[in-house]
Amino acid sequence: MAISGEEQVPSVNAASSFMLQYGQFEATHKQQLESLGLPKHLWQVLYKKLASEILDIGEYVVLNSVEDSTKHTAYLTEHKLCLSQDKLDAQSNVFLIDHAWTTTIDQALGQLDSAPGLLERMETLTGIFEPHEKMPIMPNTESLDAANEVNVPVVVAQTGVSEEKARELLTKAGGDIIEAIMAASKDSSKEEGKKNSFEDQIINQLGGGSSNSDSNADKPTEWRTREYACSQYALDSGSDKLDGIDISIPVGPSVSKKDVKCSFARRHLEVSVGGSKVLGGDLHAEIVADEATWTLENGVLVVSLVKKSSDYWPAALVGETQINPFVHNKHIMRVFGELWRYFQGYDFLAQNADQSIVKRTNWYIQDEVGLSIGHSDSPNVRCLPFLYLDTRGQMMPFSIMWPTKPISKGDALTRDYCPAWLTDSEQRKGYLQSIFPGPKQFALDAYERMRDDWAQTAKNVVRANFTSLPVPRTQIQRVFVQGATDETAKSVQEAGLQLVENAEQADVVFDDDVTQMPADKQSNQHPLNSVFISTENTLMAFQKVIGMQAWLRPGYHLKTQINEFIGASMMSSNSWWLLTNDQAIPNVKQQKIITNSWVTAVRHADVGYTTAINCTPSAVSPDQLCLAEKIALLTPDNGLYVWSKDTWIYAYPIEQRDNKPEPYQIMADELQVQEAAFVESFSAHFGADAFSKFTEEMERIVSEVMRMMLGIDSSSGKNFGLFSFRFAFFKNEEAGGVVEPCLQSIHPVSVHQRLATDSRMVPSIVATLSGNTASEDWKQIKNA
């Protein structure tokens, strides 16, 4: 029965109990309800439906077919949701929309591969289906492409076809070398007897003996279907008899042993979980039913069978459809890539094993009802995600929908698929391309206009000059360092300086907190700190004031430059993008995303990701993003110095799939690499003087950046700045494969995280600020 806001609670006791429970619900969810904008008179209606899991939208709507004219511009499916009742007033009711799938990015691919029925449901949604292919017999190589390359010469030698034809045959055969050779020789082997003879000849030449042999050596003992994996083996480790077989069924981590029921007969197997059959059918051959067992571990149910005869089984169950793992994995990636049109997301905070807090994103796809709500710039409903914490403490995700305008019978329900913050009509057009794809010439035009603007800006940029003389000699005796470690304190004292306890007593102050900085003290709070405040803002600031430079990674703001970003992605289809989140929360780690899909990047704007920075895996190592760091000191009189003792090297592991970067992944934590070992490896690959040239170019870029920025915002004459420059390794093929630095980020060096813990830095900075020319820690950079 439908529930509305006008219904009365039947009794005083029931009313008291309801109001108590509702009060707890409101206290827990008030902030969320207010942020969603749900009218307050609908809060109790929502609670009643959540508490009783009432999904009554079906009593109000009907699914109709979408007209061809709007099929690809306003609807995600072939159906639209239309009102079946006479009228639905604005803000008169609220409805629950269920989610077909909720996931996180690190779980999504595994769930598509193992969750029963999920892949099939997503295939139906996207219209992308997998061809059924036989399991290939192939060498143990890392990918199907690599295996094909290994087998190309064999197919050429056996059949006389060209290498190109051999690759084509191997691809069609899913890597099965015998099937590829047979396909090449099909026309010359018309008769069955000749065919069988030729097949035996092929297998003998490949070292497999006769195809009629009882030997199991050349037959696959492991294979997969969509529902389970199979493995044949010898029960006795010293035997070559395949008298055992395991069937592994993913059932999920929430399943316990009490949920599992297995029934064994000599030629039949039935497996159910929670009362639902997950596997069942006739076995390929007889088993010893009394010796069959099963185990449950880490969400996988393993059924172990003992064969009555040790004959080879080509299949576990009669009629099973085996899959090619390589083709299947690629198919999953295709489906997953298309799903970004349908995904919606919301953030939540999670605690890591080390007790640190990280901001994560849940991605969800609504059920068929929710997906049938169309898009309109003038919608008649709102539909937003809502996280319901029930009385047992379990979090249940739903979408909630309520009418914002009067809706008449037969009217289609429509929502605005653009986020609320996106109001610019041109940028909305670009955002909607990620959901309802169409012609994109407007995005290419926007990108070309931006490039023209950048080129003009670069021509007009002003460069200031550095001071060429050392800093005038001054007396600095007392130093304050926020959070100084014992080791740093010792090094300061050994340099003949006094480490004081507060900034008021100091001649020079090292502190991250500008609000606590005495106005009359020299400190590390240079005016450029406000420009170089974060990676994302730095790139945005650069491109606005200095235009596009050859050494600068292009970056795009996903809230104001969507069209330009789409155009840039289309112009360079092999580009990879680092997605970063500007919405900083104190003591909360923000995840960074790497992707090669502009659709994925644009959809991340929904959940706070604001910047897409061009990011290519390192020329040094394809499975890592490597960065080199230089630290620059800008003195109050506009002198520039670069730390000469070290170049810090950092590596971020990149997950690989088929020898290529995973097309969507969370950026791993950085690992610091020993400089000496890195330089040795770098020199071995690119030449003995390659790293010294790379370092010289980094210093030149640091000089360029600082001269440009000082041309905009000069020094106060009192404070100094300490900045971290990080560079990616870019292989310039147009310059003969020379590896060049490409600026990835700039930010002020943190006192708390860096200077207070590095015992060498503070004394050497003070020495340079004092005009001590004997200090060799800092190399002065002259005007070009």
Side-chain angles (χ1 to χ4, degrees):
M1 184 178 81
I3 296 177
S4 67
E6 289 75 24
E7 292 186 7
Q8 301 299 313
V9 179
S11 71
V12 174
N13 289 337
S16 299
S17 176
F18 170 80
M19 292 309 298
L20 177 62
Q21 295 169 359
Y22 170 73
Q24 294 172 342
F25 166 81
E26 182 177 320
T28 303
H29 301 86
K30 182 178 181 180
Q31 184 177 0
Q32 186 181 178
L33 290 166
E34 290 177 339
S35 67
L36 294 177
L38 179 67
K40 192 162 186 177
H41 69 271
L42 292 177
W43 291 11
Q44 288 191 24
V45 182
L46 174 62
Y47 170 66
K48 291 177 185 179
K49 294 188 177 185
L50 287 166
S52 301
E53 294 189 29
I54 298 174
L55 287 85
D56 59 345
I57 184 66
E59 300 177 17
Y60 292 79
V61 298
V62 64
L63 288 174
N64 291 334
S65 296
V66 176
E67 300 85 359
D68 289 341
S69 60
T70 59
K71 184 173 292 184
H72 301 297
T73 59
Y75 290 94
L76 285 168
T77 70
E78 301 291 324
H79 297 93
K80 60 181 178 180
L81 210 60
C82 298
L83 189 67
S84 60
Q85 294 195 355
D86 290 337
K87 187 179 181 181
L88 187 63
D89 291 329
Q91 301 182 358
S92 61
N93 208 335
V94 61
F95 303 96
L96 301 182
I97 305 292
D98 205 0
H99 293 172
W101 183 28
T102 300
T103 188
T104 57
I105 190 54
D106 52 342
Q107 298 175 344
L109 294 176
Q111 290 173 349
L112 275 175
D113 192 27
S114 62
L118 177 61
L119 180 57
E120 289 76 9
R121 192 172 183 179
M122 297 301 108
E123 286 174 326
T124 301
L125 176 61
T126 60
I128 299 174
F129 297 94
E130 180 178 11
H132 296 300
E133 298 194 29
K134 290 173 60 179
M135 178 75 171
I137 302 174
M138 57 193 303
N140 183 24
T141 53
E142 293 185 356
S143 71
L144 181 58
D145 293 339
N148 286 350
E149 288 302 312
V150 171
N151 291 330
V152 162
V154 179
V155 176
V156 171
Q158 294 297 324
T159 64
V161 299
S162 66
E163 289 188 0
E164 182 178 355
K165 182 64 176 178
R167 289 189 186 92
E168 177 186 336
L169 292 167
L170 284 164
T171 301
K172 288 182 178 179
D176 189 327
I177 187 172
I178 295 178
E179 189 172 322
I181 296 174
M182 293 298 298
S185 308
K186 184 176 181 181
D187 292 340
S188 61
S189 305
K190 297 289 186 181
E191 298 177 11
E192 186 67 23
K194 292 182 179 179
K195 177 178 181 295
N196 291 340
S197 175
F198 187 63
E199 182 179 350
D200 288 343
Q201 179 184 356
I202 292 169
I203 296 176
N204 279 324
Q205 289 174 343
L206 294 176
S210 171
S211 62
N212 297 319
S213 169
D214 291 334
S215 171
N216 296 323
D218 299 309
K219 299 173 182 176
T221 57
E222 296 182 355
W223 65 88
R224 278 195 56 193
T225 72
R226 285 197 170 196
E227 295 78 21
Y228 52 87
C230 293
S231 175
Q232 292 184 81
Y233 55 91
L235 294 174
D236 185 349
S237 60
S239 172
D240 60 356
K241 295 182 178 180
L242 299 177
D243 45 4
I245 184 169
D246 285 351
I247 303 175
S248 301
I249 312 164
V251 293
S254 62
V255 174
S256 62
K257 290 185 178 181
K258 65 180 181 181
D259 300 321
V260 178
K261 182 178 180 181
C262 294
S263 175
F264 305 106
R266 62 186 183 87
R267 283 292 300 269
H268 195 80
L269 172 66
E270 293 280 351
V271 180
S272 63
V273 175
S276 300
K277 186 170 78 170
V278 296
L279 184 66
D282 292 333
L283 295 166
H284 174 75
E286 292 188 17
I287 62 170
V288 183
D290 292 342
E291 296 185 25
T293 60
W294 62 267
T295 57
L296 179 64
E297 187 173 353
N298 297 325
V300 178
L301 174 63
V302 180
V303 177
S304 299
L305 307 176
V306 178
K307 301 178 186 178
K308 187 173 182 180
S309 169
S310 61
D311 292 341
Y312 174 78
W313 284 20
L317 297 178
V318 175
E320 73 181 22
T321 301
Q322 298 176 13
I323 61 174
N324 179 322
F326 301 107
V327 174
H328 184 65
N329 287 338
K330 289 181 179 180
H331 171 66
I332 288 176
M333 292 304 302
R334 284 187 62 212
V335 173
F336 182 66
E338 182 66 17
L339 287 176
W340 284 107
R341 289 184 55 208
Y342 306 90
F343 272 131
Q344 298 176 70
Y346 56 85
D347 290 333
F348 65 99
L349 299 181
Q351 189 173 51
N352 291 325
D354 61 0
Q355 306 303 307
S356 62
I357 303 298
V358 62
K359 187 178 182 181
R360 300 185 186 276
T361 302
N362 267 353
W363 294 98
Y364 66 94
I365 293 177
Q366 293 179 324
D367 66 9
E368 287 72 11
V369 172
L371 291 174
S372 298
I373 303 173
H375 167 75
S376 174
D377 292 334
S378 301
N380 53 27
V381 303
R382 291 198 73 188
C383 187
L384 298 168
F386 182 79
L387 299 181
Y388 171 50
L389 184 65
D390 66 15
T391 55
R392 298 166 295 177
Q394 294 183 345
M395 191 70 75
M396 302 175 64
F398 289 96
S399 289
I400 59 174
M401 183 192 74
W402 68 95
T404 57
K405 296 178 180 178
I407 306 174
S408 300
K409 186 174 183 177
D411 287 350
L413 274 61
T414 58
R415 54 175 290 194
D416 188 350
Y417 275 82
C418 290
W421 49 261
L422 188 54
T423 57
D424 182 89
S425 59
E426 286 301 310
Q427 296 300 318
R428 283 172 59 88
K429 184 179 178 181
Y431 178 88
L432 289 171
Q433 283 290 314
S434 67
I435 305 174
F436 308 105
K440 300 178 183 63
Q441 184 60 45
F442 72 93
L444 292 171
D445 293 342
Y447 171 66
E448 290 300 328
R449 288 194 298 271
M450 173 173 276
R451 285 192 62 86
D452 291 343
D453 291 342
W454 282 343
Q456 188 60 44
T457 301
K459 290 179 181 179
N460 299 330
V461 67
V462 176
R463 293 170 171 82
N465 287 321
F466 298 128
T467 299
S468 58
L469 298 175
V471 178
R473 283 192 172 271
T474 56
Q475 182 66 31
I476 298 177
Q477 185 62 38
R478 296 178 299 276
V479 179
F480 173 76
V481 182
Q482 173 203 24
T485 62
D486 292 342
E487 188 175 355
T488 298
K490 181 180 178 181
S491 68
V492 169
Q493 293 167 358
E494 289 176 347
L497 302 170
Q498 180 184 354
L499 188 68
V500 297
E501 296 183 356
N502 61 72
E504 294 290 349
Q505 301 172 332
D507 298 320
V508 64
V509 176
F510 294 84
D511 197 338
D512 291 326
D513 190 354
V514 66
T515 63
Q516 302 297 320
M517 196 71 64
D520 60 336
K521 300 295 182 181
Q522 185 182 45
S523 74
N524 60 307
Q525 295 298 327
H526 193 278
L528 288 180
N529 283 20
S530 60
V531 178
F532 301 147
I533 195 65
S534 70
T535 302
E536 298 76 36
N537 289 337
T538 299
L539 279 175
M540 298 304 105
F542 277 173
Q543 287 169 174
K544 287 181 180 178
V545 300
I546 68 174
M548 178 58 74
Q549 304 292 331
W551 39 260
L552 178 64
R553 291 279 190 188
Y556 301 86
H557 200 276
L558 294 176
K559 291 191 175 183
T560 61
Q561 298 174 334
I562 298 174
N563 297 344
E564 293 82 354
F565 168 64
I566 294 173
S569 300
M570 293 173 64
M571 291 297 292
S572 181
S573 58
N574 293 324
S575 293
W576 289 80
W577 302 97
L578 174 64
L579 310 183
T580 58
N581 193 326
D582 274 345
Q583 299 176 351
I585 302 175
N587 301 317
V588 174
K589 180 182 177 182
Q590 304 280 354
Q591 291 183 328
K592 296 182 179 182
I593 305 297
I594 299 176
T595 182
N596 66 348
S597 165
W598 69 262
V599 174
T600 303
V602 171
R603 297 314 305 275
H604 272 73
D606 292 7
V607 291
Y609 286 84
T610 54
T611 307
I613 305 169
N614 187 243
C615 170
T616 304
S618 175
V620 179
S621 175
D623 60 352
Q624 290 182 332
L625 172 63
C626 294
L627 299 179
E629 181 188 39
K630 276 294 182 183
I631 291 182
L633 170 65
L634 186 63
T635 60
D637 61 339
N638 288 352
L640 181 65
Y641 299 79
V642 175
W643 181 259
S644 61
K645 294 293 185 181
D646 308 278
T647 298
W648 289 270
I649 307 295
Y650 304 94
Y652 302 83
I654 301 294
E655 295 180 18
Q656 300 286 301
R657 180 182 291 266
D658 293 338
N659 295 323
K660 298 177 182 178
E662 188 81 62
Y664 179 89
Q665 55 186 286
I666 298 171
M667 190 172 182
D669 292 335
E670 69 181 22
L671 304 172
Q672 188 166 349
V673 180
Q674 291 293 328
E675 181 185 1
F678 180 86
V679 172
E680 181 180 354
S681 175
F682 189 89
S683 301
H685 282 86
F686 303 107
D689 61 346
F691 193 77
S692 62
K693 291 181 178 180
F694 187 90
T695 301
E696 290 174 4
E697 183 63 12
M698 284 193 292
E699 293 175 356
R700 187 192 71 81
I701 295 171
V702 170
S703 173
E704 272 281 277
V705 171
M706 299 310 297
R707 289 184 65 199
M708 289 177 179
M709 299 313 294
L710 284 173
I712 300 166
D713 193 346
S714 62
S715 171
S716 63
K718 180 182 66 176
N719 291 336
F720 60 95
L722 200 66
F723 303 102
S724 165
F725 288 72
R726 290 197 176 191
F727 297 86
F729 293 79
F730 173 69
K731 192 172 185 180
N732 190 342
E733 299 293 351
E734 295 180 0
V738 175
V739 178
E740 299 174 344
C742 198
L743 185 60
Q744 188 82 26
S745 69
I746 311 174
H747 57 82
V749 174
S750 167
V751 175
H752 175 71
Q753 297 178 359
R754 192 72 168 266
L755 299 184
T757 59
D758 190 327
S759 61
R760 303 171 300 169
M761 282 275 185
V762 171
S764 66
I765 293 171
V766 172
T768 302
L769 295 175
S770 302
N772 184 355
T773 57
S775 175
E776 298 180 354
D777 294 339
W778 295 93
K779 173 185 176 182
Q780 186 171 16
I781 304 297
K782 308 290 185 178
N783 293 310

